[in-house]
Amino acid sequence: MKWTPILCAALLAGCGGMPKDPERTLERVQASRTFSVGLIAAGGPAVADRRHAFVRRVAEATGARPAIEEGAAEPLLARLERGELDLVVGAFAPKSPWARQVTLLPPLGEQAGRGGPVVIAAAARNGENGWIALLHREARAAAAAP
């Protein structure tokens, strides 16, 4: 029993700074003051407005400037998975196969698509939990904004 406080203190010391980014995405973004964003080109003006509003929120939250490029979903998501992009934002099918390979954040909105509704959302690289936590917070706030 007398060792319990010491053991608890040792265990808690190892938990400091949770959540962690194995690739240090959030730390790098804050230090370099820049982050790379892929904007999925499809979707129309409503998608464009939501994408840009979310990216602005992330820029304000991190104090970093977004380096933006537009393109097709598949190549951008593949680059995100490899760590070449920090964030991808655009229209996704509700049951996107990418949901197993990247972290899809809370929807920023929804719109009608050819095959049914699509969600406007952002995706981040799996495992970068500090970065993902910040993005989750900003996605929820952006979705709630008028």
Side-chain angles (χ1 to χ4, degrees):
M1 284 300 249
K2 69 179 184 178
W3 295 104
T4 302
I6 295 170
L7 180 60
C8 287
L11 289 173
L12 287 175
C15 293
M18 292 292 270
K20 296 206 184 273
D21 289 357
E23 301 297 325
R24 296 187 152 102
T25 300
L26 182 56
E27 183 181 313
R28 180 183 42 76
V29 166
Q30 291 171 330
S32 69
R33 304 184 70 74
T34 188
F35 61 103
S36 57
V37 181
L39 297 180
I40 298 172
V47 173
D49 290 347
R50 290 285 185 166
R51 291 182 320 193
H52 289 292
F54 175 68
V55 170
R56 275 193 304 276
R57 290 189 72 87
V58 173
E60 290 171 11
T62 59
R65 182 183 50 78
I68 297 174
E69 60 183 88
E70 287 198 31
E74 294 295 317
L76 291 176
L77 289 164
R79 291 185 57 214
L80 175 68
E81 189 178 32
R82 290 190 304 265
E84 297 170 10
L85 293 172
D86 298 314
L87 181 63
V88 172
V89 187
F92 291 89
K95 295 188 187 238
S96 172
W98 280 97
R100 289 183 298 279
Q101 294 160 284
V102 298
T103 298
L104 290 178
L105 300 162
L108 304 169
E110 191 174 292
Q111 77 171 28
R114 290 184 211 149
V118 295
V119 293
I120 304 163
R125 189 175 185 196
N126 278 339
E128 295 302 287
N129 298 322
W131 176 238
I132 290 168
L134 180 140
L135 296 174
H136 263 272
R137 183 183 70 233
E138 295 308 322
R140 284 191 304 272

